[in-house]
C-alpha cells in the first residue's frame, strides 16, 4: 500500500488565502497521523487551474497512472482534486473499481470506501445531473443562435445551399431553381419518385426520399 498526498494551487491569490501548498501539506500530514497513515509521496500540482480534469493535469495524470489496489490518495479539499461534481463522480467510481481509497479531508475522510461514499455519490450524482442539463442547455442555445444566424450546424449540406468560408449558408442558384421545379411538379400532382426522375433528366441526382425532404423543409 502506498499513501499519496495530492496538493494543488492554480494562482498566487489562492496561496495568500489559506490554500497554499504548505497549508494543504500540513492538513494532510495531520490527518494521516490521526488515522495511522504515513504519507509515502506528496504530489504537487502547481499553477494548474481547477477547470482542468485531474486526469489531464501533469502530476495528476502521472499519479492516476501508477495507482494500484490498496493505495490511498489524500487531498485537503474536494476542489483541489476535481473540477466539478461530474468529474468527481467519474473519477471516484474509477478509483473504487481499482480498489483505491480516496480521502477528502473537507468531506470527513474516505469517500470511496466507507459510509460516506453513499452520501457523497447521492449528492454528487444530483449535481452531476444538473451539470449535464446545463451543458445540454448551453449547447442548445448555441445551436439556436447559430441557426438564427444561418450558420451550418453540421451533417449533410442542405440542398439549395453551399457552405461559405465563415460557416454560413449561401444560396445556390442552380439548386434553388431545382427546388422551384420540384414545387411546380408537385403542384401538378406528380409523385416524389416522378419528380426525382424528372430532375435526373436535367442532371440533378436526387432520390425520391431526398425530394420529399427538400419539399417539406422548404414548405
Amino acid at each position: 500500500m502506498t499513501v499519496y498526498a495530492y496538493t494543488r494551487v492554480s494562482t498566487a491569490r489562492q496561496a495568500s488565502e489559506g490554500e497554499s501548498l504548505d497549508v494543504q501539506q500540513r492538513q494532510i500530514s495531520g490527518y494521516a497521523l490521526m488515522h495511522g497513515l504515513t504519507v509515502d509521496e506528496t504530489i504537487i500540482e502547481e499553477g494548474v487551474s481547477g477547470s482542468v480534469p485531474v486526469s489531464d493535469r501533469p502530476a495528476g495524470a502521472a499519479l492516476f497512472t501508477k495507482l494500484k489496489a490498496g493505495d490511498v490518495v489524500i487531498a485537503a479539499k474536494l476542489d483541489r482534486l476535481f473540477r466539478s461534481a461530474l468529474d468527481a463522480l467519474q473519477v471516484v467510481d474509477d478509483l473504487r473499481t481499482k480498489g483505491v481509497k480516496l480521502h477528502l479531508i473537507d468531506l470527513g475522510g474516505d469517500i470511496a470506501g466507507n459510509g460516506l461514499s453513499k452520501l457523497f455519490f447521492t449528492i454528487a450524482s444530483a449535481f452531476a445531473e444538473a451539470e449535464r442539463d446545463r451543458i445540454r442547455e448551453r449547447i442548445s442555445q448555441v445551436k439556436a443562435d447559430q441557426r438564427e444566424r444561418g450558420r451550418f450546424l453540421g451533417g449533410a449540406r442542405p440542398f439549395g445551399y453551399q457552405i461559405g468560408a465563415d460557416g454560413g449558408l449561401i444560396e445556390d442558384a442552380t439548386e434553388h431553381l431545382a427546388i422551384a421545379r420540384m414545387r411546380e411538379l408537385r403542384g401538378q400532382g406528380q409523385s416524389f419518385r416522378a419528380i426525382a426522375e424528372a430532375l435526373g433528366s436535367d442532371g440533378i441526382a436526387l432520390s425520391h426520399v431526398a425530394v420529399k425532404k427538400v419539399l417539406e423543409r422548404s414548405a
Side-chain angles (χ1 to χ4, degrees), residues 4-6 31 37 54 63-64 67 70-78 80-82 87-96 99-114 116-117 120-121:
Y4 298 94
Y6 179 87
Y31 175 87
L37 298 171
V54 64
L63 168 62
F64 277 68
L67 288 174
D71 286 349
V72 176
V73 177
I74 307 174
K77 294 184 178 181
L78 176 73
R80 297 301 87 200
L81 197 56
F82 303 113
D87 184 34
L89 194 64
Q90 294 170 337
V91 172
V92 173
D93 191 45
D94 288 342
L95 293 180
R96 291 180 67 187
V100 175
K101 292 185 177 181
L102 173 62
H103 293 250
L104 298 178
I105 298 174
D106 63 334
L107 292 186
D110 178 14
I111 65 169
N114 64 13
L116 288 172
S117 61
F120 170 78
F121 273 94

Side-chain angles (χ1 to χ4, degrees), residues 4-23:
Y4 298 94
Y6 179 87
T7 61
R8 180 187 66 81
V9 290
S10 57
T11 64
R13 181 178 64 83
Q14 285 186 338
S16 67
E17 293 180 355
E19 294 185 345
S20 70
L21 295 173
D22 287 342
V23 169

